[in-house]
Amino acid sequence: MSTYDFTSIIDRHGKDAIAVDGVGRVPGMAPAAPKPGFDVIPMWVADMNFPTVPTIQEEIIRRAQHPMFGYFQPTDEYFNAIIDWQRTRNGVTGLAAEHIGYENGVLGGVVSALKAFATPGDAVLLHSPTYIGFTHSIGDNGYRIVHSPLVRDADGVWRMDFDDMDRKIKENNIHVAVFCSPHNPCGRVWERWEIERAMEVYRANDCVVISDEIWSDIILGGHKHIPTQSVSDDARNRTIAFYAPSKTFNLAGLVGSYHIIYSEYLRDRVLAVSGKTHYNAMNVLSMHALIGAYRPEGHVWVDELRAVLTENVEYAVDYIRSHFEGIRVAKPEGTYMLFLDCTDWCAAHGVTLEELEKRGSDVGVAWQDGRQFQHPCAIRMNLALPKSRVEEAMHRLSEYVF
Ligand SMILES: Cc1ncc(COP(=O)(O)O)c(C=O)c1O
């Protein structure tokens, strides 16, 4: 039994939710609207269909009752909440307020870090498949993305190809890499040895590492998140890491991410860029949301969430493997995303990916085109919904789509 509610189906229409109101309305990104008779099951954009932990609302409301919202500075309570969260969840020691800085979104932070260490036109290393936000934010700012493809091992687990990384870094004079841990959309929670090997490649080639750990709280089953900065002293000083309560607690609409940078040099260079934008300032309600999220209740909520997501993932992966022959899926170890490789199924049925996607979106399975994530024939599916909705989606896929 959960303390918190992960089963109610809450109507998000008209409540500032692109997940439902954006369906059919965000060209190139959102799935098409369903045919009459089918409601939308939002399985695309990376937010969740669960009510968040009540301490967040309580904290925002408590602050909102005070009638002044003037200029402010982040409080000790804010920094201590982050230090405590990182210690308890990730075993981080030695973290101090000076290492932490606000970021107006993880992607904004990624861009500031890139600007500090690369010039437009420079190549940046990224694994593929990759999160569409990286493709846009890195490309939009004039950098050349060089993908090092993840490869599936004999057990179907996505792995980094260290030789390929090393070769591409050398061939392209790369000195900045973006590393996604856990990985969206492949759902890998990298093992310590994998991070160590990757960091060894970056060290050998003098790369600054931008480590996006926004998914680090959403770890499934028995897996464990290893912060990139924790694998060695060199990693601690070569890495600019980003975190946020937004993915964990469904607060993307409030905006409020943060960096952890131990090296004074890296920190100074990143702040030199972000400070000059004069945009990178915290919203007071977002600060209070983080404080509410990182309370003891937030720990309980996230652990319950992880159990719910683990069950959804087990169910969906088993269902797909036993019902949809030709669809390949690796079981995610973190995140709440499934990445369905539809190559074999499309070939066997003479159906294009567009047609397949349309069949799903027609019946309200609002999934996302995997080509946005640099895979030629895949679909990404968000499982952060009450299990009854995931079951409904699978039944519709079985009846109408595959
Ligand atoms: C890997 C990754 N990084 C960053 C973001 C977006 O973060 P923000 O909204 O803080 O820019 C997402 C959202 O899905 C993500 O998956």
Side-chain angles (χ1 to χ4, degrees):
M1 263 304 279
S2 287
T3 316
Y4 296 106
D5 179 6
F6 295 97
T7 53
S8 297
I9 299 169
I10 294 178
D11 184 8
R12 302 177 72 188
H13 288 96
K15 296 291 178 197
D16 313 307
I18 197 175
V20 289
D21 292 335
V23 167
R25 294 195 188 169
V26 192
M29 213 185 140
K35 289 202 276 202
F38 292 98
D39 63 342
V40 169
I41 306 178
M43 306 185 101
W44 61 291
V45 70
D47 72 15
M48 300 193 281
N49 296 275
F50 302 120
T52 195
V53 64
T55 45
I56 295 176
Q57 283 174 292
E58 285 159 21
E59 183 63 31
I60 292 174
I61 291 165
R62 196 185 59 69
R63 176 60 187 84
Q65 273 163 350
H66 186 277
M68 291 169 197
F69 302 94
Y71 291 113
F72 74 105
Q73 281 196 313
T75 57
D76 288 348
E77 197 182 8
Y78 169 81
F79 290 111
N80 289 336
I82 293 173
I83 292 166
D84 178 62
W85 184 264
Q86 290 291 340
R87 187 183 55 245
T88 316
R89 309 296 307 181
N90 291 334
V92 171
T93 52
L95 177 61
E98 73 205 52
H99 306 136
I100 300 168
Y102 175 74
E103 295 292 348
N104 225 356
V106 163
L107 289 178
V110 168
V111 170
S112 293
L114 282 173
K115 287 186 171 169
F117 295 101
T119 299
D122 281 354
V124 173
L125 192 82
L126 193 60
H127 295 110
S128 64
T130 190
Y131 163 54
I132 182 178
F134 291 144
T135 312
H136 284 167
S137 61
I138 301 173
D140 288 350
N141 283 281
Y143 303 102
R144 194 160 53 83
I145 299 173
V146 173
H147 291 114
S148 178
L150 301 175
V151 281
R152 271 173 290 197
D153 68 11
D155 299 321
V157 179
W158 293 94
R159 301 277 181 193
M160 289 180 261
D161 179 342
F162 303 106
D163 292 337
D164 182 76
M165 289 163 62
D166 187 59
R167 191 166 40 79
K168 293 209 168 121
I169 289 173
K170 288 190 164 69
E171 278 172 8
N172 294 282
N173 283 327
I174 290 175
H175 289 287
V176 189
V178 175
F179 182 57
C180 190
S181 176
H183 188 270
N184 173 19
C186 294
R188 278 306 314 284
V189 174
W190 305 111
E191 294 167 48
R192 179 177 291 276
W193 72 267
E194 293 176 291
I195 303 175
E196 283 171 357
R197 286 277 304 272
M199 292 310 291
E200 203 38 52
V201 173
Y202 298 136
R203 189 196 60 74
N205 292 288
D206 265 329
C207 286
V208 169
V209 178
I210 300 175
S211 184
D212 178 336
E213 299 181 38
I214 195 168
W215 289 98
S216 55
D217 297 317
I218 303 193
I219 304 297
L220 309 177
H223 297 279
K224 178 154 178 45
H225 176 69
I226 309 289
T228 304
Q229 288 162 326
S230 74
V231 302
S232 66
D233 275 350
D234 183 79
R236 189 178 168 92
N237 290 311
R238 151 176 327 282
T239 304
I240 297 160
F242 294 105
Y243 299 88
S246 57
K247 207 55 69 191
T248 316
F249 291 97
N250 216 21
L251 306 179
L254 283 168
V255 184
S257 312
Y258 57 92
H259 67 231
I260 295 180
I261 314 176
Y262 294 102
S263 151
E264 211 175 324
Y265 166 64
L266 297 190
R267 204 164 63 228
D268 178 66
R269 292 296 81 206
V270 171
L271 295 177
V273 175
S274 61
K276 290 186 185 70
T277 67
H278 295 272
Y279 279 127
N280 196 31
M282 202 187 298
N283 176 302
V284 73
L285 295 184
S286 151
M287 176 176 78
H288 284 277
L290 180 143
I291 291 169
Y294 284 179
R295 287 201 196 291
E297 292 85 342
H299 289 264
V300 176
W301 189 89
V302 174
D303 287 337
E304 292 187 356
L305 170 76
R306 292 165 56 229
V308 167
L309 293 176
T310 301
E311 201 180 315
N312 285 1
V313 162
E314 299 275 348
Y315 164 77
V317 169
D318 285 352
Y319 194 96
I320 290 165
R321 285 181 180 161
S322 56
H323 289 75
F324 309 145
E325 202 185 323
I327 299 295
R328 278 218 288 172
V329 60
K331 189 183 283 186
E333 302 164 346
T335 81
Y336 41 71
M337 294 300 185
L338 280 193
F339 203 56
L340 312 182
D341 183 340
C342 306
T343 315
D344 295 345
W345 188 91
C346 285
H349 293 81
V351 171
T352 65
L353 186 69
E354 285 93 335
E355 286 163 351
L356 172 59
E357 286 171 353
K358 177 87 169 48
R359 286 191 197 180
S361 57
D362 273 352
V363 296
V365 178
W367 51 12
Q368 194 165 8
D369 187 332
R371 288 171 303 187
Q372 297 171 21
F373 302 87
Q374 307 299 310
H375 187 291
C377 192
I379 295 177
R380 192 182 77 157
M381 232 180 154
N382 175 338
L383 298 181
L385 301 98
K387 186 159 178 222
S388 63
R389 298 261 76 195
V390 178
E391 288 167 344
E392 173 64 20
M394 289 300 151
H395 295 152
R396 289 188 202 175
L397 290 178
S398 184
E399 193 171 346
Y400 303 106
V401 177
F402 285 116

